[in-house]
C-alpha cells in the first residue's frame, strides 16, 4: 500500500453504521507513529501497557474523556473490553443485588438485546415495547410501566438499526442507565439523570475493541455479588482500567479523537454538526413528495442513523449499487429491516452528506 491510498481524495464516503469513519488526519497520525512511537523505537502496540509511553496515552485519554463529556468527579470512567454487548449483562451484575429489579425500554434491536441478555443474570421488567409499531418511535413518559422497586430505567438513547433516538431523556423519577453506543458524545449528557452510561466506541469515537462505562462510584460493589475480577467494575476502577491488558489500540486512537473533538469545540459543536447533517438528509427525504420515505416518527428521528425507503426494493438495490460506484459505501439498511441507512457519525464531513443528497436527487430524476 502506498501512502497515497490514505489521501482524502482517494477515500470513499463511508456511511457505515459501525465501525465508523474516522478523521483522515487521525489515520495519518496513526500511520506516521506506527513504527516508532514518540522515539521509543517501536510501535505503542508492542510496548508494555505499564511503560511510560502507554501510560501517558492512557492517562490523557481518561482525562480528555472526562473533560469533553463533562463527567462529574463522583463518576468513574472505565475502559473495558467486550464491547457494548457485554454491558447488557455486566450492568445488572454490578448494579443489582439478588432479587432486585430494573425496568427496560424495548425500543428496537439493541434495547431488545439489552433486555434479553440482562435477563440471563437478573429479573428485569419491560416497561415499554415498540415491537407492535415496528419500533418506529420512542415512547413518552406517560406510556411507561415502570416496575415498583426498580433500581434504574435502562434506555437505548439511539437505536442504530431502526434509526430512532430519544429526543430528550425521559423525565422519570428514578435514575437511568443509558446505552449510548451509537450517539456517544454526539450531544451533551445530563449526568444528574444517570447512574451509569455506556457505549461501544466504534460508532463515534474509535476503532472497535472496547466500551467506555461511566458509573457513579458510590454504586461500585453494591450488588454484593461475588463477581469474577474481569466483570467487576470496582476492580477496574481501583486499577484505572489497567487491571489486565487494556485494548491499547482503541484507547490510543480514541485519545486522538477526543483531542480533536475538544479542539473543534466540544459536544455542543458536535451536536450542532449532527443536527446540520440530519437536517440536510431529512430535508432531501421530506422534499421528495414521498419518493424517498422516512419510516420513523418525526419526533424520534435519529441524528446518527438516517433510514429511508425507496418506492420498491429493486430500486433500493440499484440505489445502493450506484451509490457505491459513485464512492458512497455502506448505505444498505440492516438486513433485519431493509431499505437504506446512512450513518453520519461525529467524523462524517458535511461535504459527504451533500454528495449523498445530490446523488439522491439525480437518482430520483433518473428513475422517477
Ligand atoms: C453497536 C451497538 C451495540 C453493540 O456494540 P458492540 O460493541 O458491538 O457490542 C449495542 N448497542 C447499540 C445501541 C449499538 O449501536
Amino acid at each position: 500500500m502506498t501512502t497515497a491510498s490514505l489521501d482524502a481524495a482517494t477515500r470513499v464516503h463511508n456511511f457505515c453504521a459501525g465501525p465508523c469513519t474516522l478523521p483522515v488526519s487521525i489515520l495519518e497520525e496513526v500511520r506516521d507513529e506506527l513504527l516508532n512511537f514518540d522515539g521509543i523505537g517501536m510501535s505503542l502496540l508492542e510496548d508494555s501497557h505499564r511503560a511510560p509511553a502507554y501510560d501517558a496515552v492512557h492517562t490523557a485519554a481518561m482525562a480528555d474523556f472526562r473533560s469533553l463529556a463533562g463527567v462529574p468527579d463522583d463518576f468513574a470512567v472505565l475502559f473495558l473490553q467486550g464491547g457494548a454487548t457485554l454491558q447488557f449483562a455486566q450492568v445488572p451484575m454490578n448494579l443489582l443485588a439478588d432479587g432486585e429489579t430494573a425496568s427496560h425500554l424495548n425500543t428496537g434491536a439493541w434495547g431488545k438485546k439489552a433486555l434479553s441478555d440482562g435477563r440471563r443474570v437478573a429479573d428485569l421488567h419491560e416497561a415499554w415495547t415498540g415491537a407492535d409499531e415496528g419500533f418506529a418511535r420512542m415512547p413518552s413518559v406517560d406510556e411507561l410501566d415502570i416496575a415498583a422497586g426498580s433500581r434504574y430505567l435502562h434506555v437505548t438513547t439511539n437505536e442504530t438499526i431502526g434509526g430512532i433516538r430519544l429526543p430528550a431523556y425521559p423525565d422519570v423519577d428514578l435514575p437511568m442507565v443509558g446505552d449510548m453506543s451509537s450517539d456517544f458524545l454526539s450531544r451533551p449528557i445530563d449526568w444528574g439523570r444517570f447512574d451509569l452510561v455506556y457505549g461501544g466506541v466504534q460508532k463515534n469515537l474509535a476503532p472497535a475493541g472496547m466500551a467506555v462505562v461511566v458509573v457513579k462510584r458510590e454504586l461500585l460493589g453494591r450488588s454484593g455479588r461475588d463477581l469474577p475480577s474481569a466483570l467487576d467494575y470496582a476492580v477496574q476502577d481501583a486499577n484505572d482500567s489497567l487491571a489486565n491488558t487494556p485494548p491499547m489500540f482503541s484507547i490510543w486512537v480514541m485519545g486522538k479523537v477526543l483531542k480533536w473533538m475538544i479542539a473543534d469545540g466540544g459536544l455542543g459543536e458536535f451536536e450542532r454538526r449532527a443536527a446540520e447533517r440530519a437536517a440536510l438528509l431529512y430535508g432531501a427525504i421530506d422534499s421528495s413528495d414521498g419518493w424517498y420515505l422516512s419510516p420513523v416518527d418525526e419526533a424520534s428521528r435519529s441524528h446518527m442513523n438516517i433510514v429511508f425507503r425507496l418506492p420498491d426494493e429493486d430500486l433500493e438495490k440499484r440505489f445502493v449499487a450506484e451509490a457505491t460506484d459513485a464512492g458512497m459505501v455502506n448505505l444498505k439498511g440492516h438486513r433485519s429491516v431493509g431499505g437504506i441507512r446512512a450513518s453520519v457519525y461525529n467524523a462524517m464531513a458535511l461535504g459527504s452528506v451533500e454528495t449523498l443528497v445530490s446523488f439522491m436527487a439525480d437518482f430520483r430524476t433518473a428513475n422517477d
Side-chain angles (χ1 to χ4, degrees), residues 42-350:
M42 60 183 144
S43 80
L44 188 69
L45 310 177
E46 301 162 283
D47 199 5
S48 167
H49 57 292
R50 316 241 175 242
Y54 179 72
D55 186 59
V57 165
H58 190 92
T59 306
M62 279 276 176
D64 286 339
F65 190 97
R66 279 191 173 280
S67 139
L68 177 64
V71 180
D73 287 343
D74 57 334
F75 281 76
V77 175
L78 310 174
F79 296 160
L80 304 177
Q81 297 189 29
T85 300
L86 183 58
Q87 295 312 312
F88 297 157
Q90 199 173 348
V91 168
M93 277 178 190
N94 279 271
L95 296 192
L96 297 178
D98 267 348
E100 284 186 335
T101 192
S103 289
H104 274 236
L105 299 191
N106 180 2
T107 48
W110 291 114
K112 190 172 165 189
K113 203 163 171 212
L115 185 57
S116 66
D117 265 12
R119 277 180 166 157
R120 289 171 160 90
V121 300
D123 177 24
L124 301 175
H125 173 75
E126 185 180 78
W128 187 79
T129 176
D132 304 342
E133 301 170 45
F135 295 119
R137 68 179 180 95
M138 289 289 185
S140 60
V141 178
D142 52 16
E143 296 175 278
L144 307 186
D145 162 38
I146 294 169
S150 289
R151 292 286 318 166
Y152 58 80
L153 177 69
H154 181 286
V155 301
T156 308
T157 53
N158 184 76
E159 285 284 357
T160 325
I161 292 174
I164 57 174
R165 69 163 191 161
L166 283 169
Y169 301 130
D171 194 10
V172 290
D173 55 7
L174 76 170
M176 290 190 289
V177 165
D179 174 1
M180 298 193 171
S181 297
S182 53
D183 65 351
F184 219 14
L185 305 197
S186 71
R187 49 175 159 166
I189 299 169
D190 179 359
W191 293 102
R193 312 288 311 285
F194 289 93
D195 269 359
L196 185 150
V197 155
Y198 65 94
V201 294
Q202 74 276 17
K203 308 276 165 60
N204 252 329
L205 297 175
M210 73 166 179
V212 178
V213 173
V214 186
V215 54
K216 229 178 222 173
R217 271 214 176 89
E218 68 183 26
L219 300 173
L220 299 179
R222 85 162 295 282
S223 78
R225 301 190 196 206
D226 189 18
L227 298 174
S229 63
L231 296 174
D232 190 340
Y233 294 145
V235 172
Q236 284 295 5
D237 183 41
N239 290 279
D240 294 324
S241 299
L242 285 159
N244 64 331
T245 318
M248 295 162 73
F249 186 68
S250 301
I251 293 167
W252 177 35
V253 180
M254 185 178 75
K256 293 179 183 296
V257 171
L258 297 173
K259 284 192 192 306
W260 165 73
M261 291 180 69
I262 291 167
D264 266 22
L267 297 192
E269 169 61 11
F270 279 86
E271 182 179 39
R272 188 197 65 73
R273 289 184 194 178
E276 191 177 25
R277 289 188 295 259
L280 205 55
L281 272 163
Y282 289 119
I285 293 165
D286 292 343
S287 63
S288 72
D289 308 316
W291 204 77
Y292 293 110
L293 200 65
S294 162
V296 303
D297 170 53
E298 200 169 333
S300 304
R301 286 173 168 184
S302 172
H303 284 192
M304 295 281 115
N305 313 99
I306 284 100
V307 298
F308 55 96
R309 307 296 313 225
L310 272 66
D312 63 58
E313 287 184 19
D314 188 50
L315 278 170
E316 289 172 348
K317 274 200 194 103
R318 284 180 35 219
F319 180 94
V320 171
E322 290 181 26
T324 304
D325 288 343
M328 288 161 275
V329 306
N330 288 319
L331 281 163
K332 190 169 185 284
H334 191 267
R335 59 187 184 279
S336 63
V337 293
I340 310 295
R341 172 175 54 172
S343 295
V344 289
Y345 295 118
N346 283 347
M348 176 61 70
L350 189 64

